[in-house]
Amino acid sequence: MLQTIDQISFAYKSAFLLFIIMGGMISIIVLSQLSNYIIKNDFELLFEKRTKSIIKLETIKDIYIVNIKDTLQDIYHNDISQKQAKEVILLAKQLIKKEWSNYLNIISSKDYHTSFINNFIKKNFIANEQIPNTLLQKRIIENIKRRKNKIDTLLNKIFNQLKNNYKNTSTLLDEINYEIDSITIYLTNLTNYDLNLAIQEKRDTDKEIRILSLILNASIVLVFVFSALLSFLIISNFKKLHFALKGDILEKTEALQRLNKSLELRIKKEVANTKKKELIMFQQARLASMGEMIANIAHQWRQPLGSIMIIVQGLQAKMELGKLSPDILKEKVEDALLLGENMSDTLENFQNFFRPTTAKESFLLKECIEHSFRLSKYILDKHHIQIRIKVSDKIRLHSYYNELSHVFLNIISNAEDALATVSGEKFIEIIAKELKEKIYIYIVDSGGGIKEEILPHIFEPYFTTKYKSSGTGLGLYMSQQIIEKHIGGTIRCKNVCYTIGDKKFKHCTLFTIIIPNKKSEQHVN
């Protein structure tokens, strides 16, 4: 992506920058006009709210005239029954009470007395203008309340006379008609007051919206002109800077290319030296292991060689005494052949151990572990070390057999050295578990553990606590390299308190090896 941008010419980049700026300005203009429209629409809605009070007053006036005044005339002329008239008037009183309450709530609300535009105008443009006086409105409302209460009283008197069959109600009707006419006049005055107030506010609002629109449009024009000039200046400066930097970049690029070539040569040399060092480490570790293996071979061959010599000497003695029969000769030859075959198998086991594995193979983990212990049998027997292998016969690996056996042998060798100097029960226990395409191998020994200050360094190359004549410090380092880099697993070590049955061993060393073992990679022989 960055390379594609770098390949674009400076002229196209400048045009693209100008397009972005102009596009931003057009967006600002559209959004400002939209905001202006929204503000204007909000004030239209506010005007509609201000006219709700007028609707409420007109409704109350109509109820007094139609539902009360006309109903009283109808009952006076016997056009409707007293019961019907009473129901109509009671309903009218309820409607009047509801509408009057709604009207009072409207005029007491904050939106009725103030609005955003009025506050803005008074604070910024016409700060000396006084807020309209509502004293006249309050007086009219008080008069309406008194008239309303008086009409309710007169209605109660009329219904009482009708209840007692008094026919002479003309005086009360004239009085109540007068009161209804009076209250309608007051309602009309209040309606005119609210209407004039709303109209005046509408005019002021329209005027100020026009002023705001003019200011907004002028600001947009100024910003647009300023942005155009700024874009021109920026592009001009960028153009000068571009050509000035282009020459510097070419020079720096050539210098960097020369430096990269020299660095590549240095890196190749360092990589070659590192590989040589690693190869030397592997060879040293292999030679150290080979020395231990030769000692094991010599020990395992010493007894069968002695037995073969005894067989040969016995045959010679029997032959000199004339007691060598074909049956005895056959028996002794078979014994000698059996011993020779055993020696050949021992040699083949050690030979296979030192042969490097170039490809993964499928094998049982338990067989690999047992093979490693057989190679160390001489030292283990010499120091009376018990071996406990708790590994299922079903755990199969698809990995590098000899490399893994080498890791086990290194850990066993370190455990042997530690156990050789301790008293009490000596053991090495190996436990393996398979879980979620991974195999967890735990190797624990009762050799007294590792000192805490030494523990973080045991996997470092050439780090050893043995005498130089008996240790190279590469065993555990090579084990870590094999497990992590070659096999792709992990190896860790820590001191633990280990329990076997009822016995508790406080100072033990635990090696944990985790090996990936995907089922798809396994090939069952």
Side-chain angles (χ1 to χ4, degrees), residues 71-286:
T71 301
L72 291 175
Q73 292 296 327
D74 291 339
I75 195 175
Y76 181 76
H77 294 96
N78 293 321
D79 292 335
I80 59 174
S81 65
Q82 296 180 14
K83 183 178 179 181
Q84 292 174 339
K86 189 174 182 180
E87 289 177 354
V88 172
I89 291 174
L90 287 175
L91 179 60
K93 289 173 67 177
Q94 292 176 0
L95 292 173
I96 290 170
K97 183 179 179 181
K98 179 181 178 182
E99 296 296 332
W100 182 249
S101 177
N102 290 336
Y103 172 76
L104 294 178
N105 289 333
I106 291 172
I107 65 173
S108 63
S109 65
K110 184 177 180 181
D111 291 340
Y112 181 82
H113 294 290
T114 60
S115 64
F116 170 80
I117 189 65
N118 279 337
N119 287 334
F120 180 81
I121 294 168
K122 293 178 188 302
K123 290 180 181 179
N124 297 280
F125 295 99
I126 48 175
N128 295 325
E129 182 179 332
Q130 298 297 321
I131 299 174
N133 190 355
T134 59
L135 181 61
L136 177 61
Q137 184 186 36
K138 291 180 180 179
R139 288 177 180 176
I140 296 173
I141 290 173
E142 292 297 328
N143 288 328
I144 291 174
K145 286 181 179 179
R146 286 197 300 270
R147 299 290 180 182
K148 180 176 176 295
N149 293 333
K150 191 170 182 180
I151 291 171
D152 291 340
T153 303
L154 292 173
L155 285 172
N156 291 333
K157 290 181 179 180
I158 289 173
F159 278 111
N160 287 332
Q161 285 190 7
L162 292 172
K163 186 176 181 181
N164 296 322
N165 294 320
Y166 287 111
K167 298 297 182 179
N168 190 13
T169 58
S170 59
T171 303
L172 290 174
L173 287 174
D174 292 338
E175 188 175 355
I176 200 170
N177 287 334
Y178 172 76
E179 295 296 334
I180 290 174
D181 292 338
S182 298
I183 201 172
T184 54
I185 292 171
Y186 283 122
L187 289 171
T188 302
N189 291 334
L190 194 59
T191 300
N192 292 333
Y193 173 83
D194 287 345
L195 184 60
N196 290 331
L197 188 65
I199 292 172
Q200 183 61 38
E201 184 174 309
K202 181 71 166 53
R203 290 172 180 172
D204 294 340
T205 301
D206 291 340
K207 178 181 178 181
E208 298 308 326
I209 287 177
R210 286 194 297 271
I211 294 173
L212 288 174
S213 299
L214 182 62
I215 294 172
L216 183 61
N217 292 330
S219 301
I220 290 172
V221 172
L222 291 175
V223 171
F224 186 82
V225 172
F226 176 76
S227 299
L229 292 174
L230 182 63
S231 301
F232 176 76
L233 292 175
I234 290 174
I235 292 172
S236 299
N237 288 322
F238 277 177
K239 189 174 182 179
K240 293 178 182 178
L241 183 63
H242 171 75
F243 289 111
L245 292 176
K246 191 172 182 180
D248 294 339
I249 291 172
L250 290 175
E251 293 179 3
K252 298 294 183 183
T253 302
E254 292 177 358
L256 285 174
Q257 288 175 350
R258 291 193 296 269
L259 181 60
N260 286 335
K261 289 180 180 179
S262 62
L263 287 175
E264 286 177 1
L265 293 175
R266 292 179 186 177
I267 291 170
K268 288 180 180 179
K269 289 180 181 179
E270 291 298 327
V271 170
N273 291 333
T274 302
K275 288 182 178 179
K276 288 180 181 179
K277 290 178 182 179
E278 289 181 353
L279 182 60
I280 291 171
M281 288 182 189
F282 273 101
Q283 290 174 349
Q284 288 178 345
R286 187 70 71 177

Side-chain angles (χ1 to χ4, degrees), residues 37-67:
Y37 170 76
I38 292 172
I39 293 172
K40 189 174 182 180
N41 185 59
D42 289 341
F43 282 120
E44 293 292 338
L45 294 175
L46 182 61
F47 178 75
E48 290 180 7
K49 290 182 181 179
R50 296 299 292 269
T51 57
K52 284 184 179 180
S53 61
I54 299 173
I55 296 173
K56 299 293 181 184
L57 293 174
E58 290 297 322
T59 302
I60 294 170
K61 187 166 64 174
D62 291 341
I63 293 172
Y64 270 114
I65 294 172
V66 176
N67 293 59

Side-chain angles (χ1 to χ4, degrees), residues 408-474:
F408 293 144
L409 194 64
N410 282 329
I411 296 174
I412 293 168
S413 176
N414 282 279
E416 289 170 353
D417 294 334
L419 290 167
T421 59
V422 300
S423 58
E425 186 174 351
K426 305 176 183 181
F427 70 86
I428 300 174
E429 183 168 283
I430 297 184
I431 303 172
K433 296 180 180 178
E434 188 173 11
L435 181 64
K436 293 183 179 179
E437 296 187 347
K438 288 185 179 180
I439 294 178
Y440 295 80
I441 303 170
Y442 306 96
I443 305 174
V444 62
D445 66 75
S446 58
I450 302 174
K451 293 181 180 180
E452 292 297 330
E453 63 270 17
I454 295 175
L455 193 59
H457 306 287
I458 61 172
F459 292 109
E460 294 177 2
Y462 300 111
F463 179 82
T464 179
T465 57
K466 304 175 186 178
Y467 294 106
K468 291 184 178 180
S469 59
S470 59
T472 62
L474 292 172

